Amino acid sequence: MFKLIRRVFGLGTGMKQAEELYGSVVAQARQPVFYAKTGVSDSVDGRFDMITLHLFILMDRFPLGERTHETLQAVLEEFFVDMDRSLREIGVGDQSLPKKVHKMIDALYGRMESYAKALEVPGMEADLQDALRRNIYRGEPVSEPALEALTHYVHQARLELGKQSTDDILSGKVHFPDPVESPLIARLETKNE
């Protein structure tokens, strides 16, 4: 009953592990270096797109059959609750809220499918770069070095999560690589330098 009340009032799932995992995803997605160096728009849309990218990296760590695990499903619920809360904070009214949340849900799953498809064939950097160009940069101009750096980071993050134990991740502990330490990102100039 308490779980239902938490969800109805937008308080989250109440599952500590899911809250910790989602918190890690958001903290990583908000790393200033993504916005300062890789050309991601420092806007509501840009932050949304980086959160969805990191949710994909987390979910992609697990084989399809394991993604229905209660903790992983609760992480997605945390995302939806967070999006609902964020929309309310920027003044979206109750009448249009369900439509906007539904649109965000479609965007999340569409992006996750796009990234998964781009990574189906190992070594096809162009496919992942195209997916990032469409979803993260939304077709806006981006320098090739910035696109390459973000693509390299995605591969690094997938490898890093692949090394972590399933039990640790499902208990709420996940470690993403520090994007500042990525050599391709480090070489990029900061915006407005």
Side-chain angles (χ1 to χ4, degrees):
M1 179 68 163
F2 183 66
K3 202 172 185 181
L4 178 63
I5 292 169
R6 287 183 61 85
R7 287 184 188 160
V8 168
F9 289 102
L11 300 173
T13 61
M15 181 183 280
K16 184 178 180 232
Q17 307 94 298
E19 290 170 355
E20 288 175 0
L21 284 174
Y22 184 69
S24 295
V25 163
V26 171
Q28 187 70 7
R30 289 188 175 164
Q31 291 280 334
V33 69
F34 292 124
Y35 308 96
K37 288 198 167 202
T38 65
V40 177
S41 172
D42 191 5
S43 64
V44 171
D45 288 342
R47 290 185 293 276
F48 171 83
D49 291 328
M50 289 305 289
I51 290 170
T52 61
L53 177 63
H54 285 87
L55 276 173
F56 165 75
I57 292 168
L58 173 65
M59 299 302 269
D60 188 56
R61 155 63 179 79
F62 295 88
L64 277 174
E66 294 178 23
R67 292 181 197 171
T68 57
H69 189 280
E70 178 185 24
T71 301
L72 297 176
Q73 291 303 301
V75 170
L76 294 176
E77 288 178 37
E78 289 293 333
F79 168 77
F80 302 135
V81 168
D82 185 33
M83 293 304 105
D84 178 274
R85 188 177 318 131
S86 296
L87 289 170
R88 289 176 191 276
E89 285 174 5
I90 61 172
V92 174
D94 287 341
Q95 298 232 342
S96 60
L97 192 64
K99 188 176 183 179
K100 290 196 181 286
V101 169
H102 185 71
K103 190 174 178 181
M104 289 178 149
I105 291 168
D106 288 346
L108 170 68
Y109 287 115
R111 282 162 173 73
M112 290 175 92
E113 184 178 325
S114 172
Y115 297 137
K117 186 172 178 157
L119 291 165
E120 277 178 352
V121 180
M124 294 298 293
E125 295 299 308
D127 290 348
L128 180 57
Q129 287 180 357
D130 287 345
L132 292 171
R133 186 179 279 114
R134 275 191 319 274
N135 297 314
I136 300 294
Y137 300 103
R138 298 185 181 215
E140 292 295 319
V142 57
S143 74
E144 286 305 311
L147 184 58
E148 287 172 15
L150 188 58
T151 302
H152 182 260
Y153 165 79
V154 170
H155 289 300
Q156 277 185 302
R158 292 178 75 231
L159 287 172
E160 179 71 30
L161 267 66
K163 295 176 190 173
Q164 296 168 43
S165 85
T166 297
D167 289 342
D168 281 351
I169 294 174
L170 293 177
S171 72
K173 298 175 191 88
V174 67
H175 175 75
F176 289 95
D178 185 347
V180 174
E181 294 177 6
S182 172
L184 293 183
I185 291 177
R187 279 188 236 147
L188 297 171
E189 290 183 22
T190 302
K191 280 185 191 177
N192 303 323
E193 272 189 350

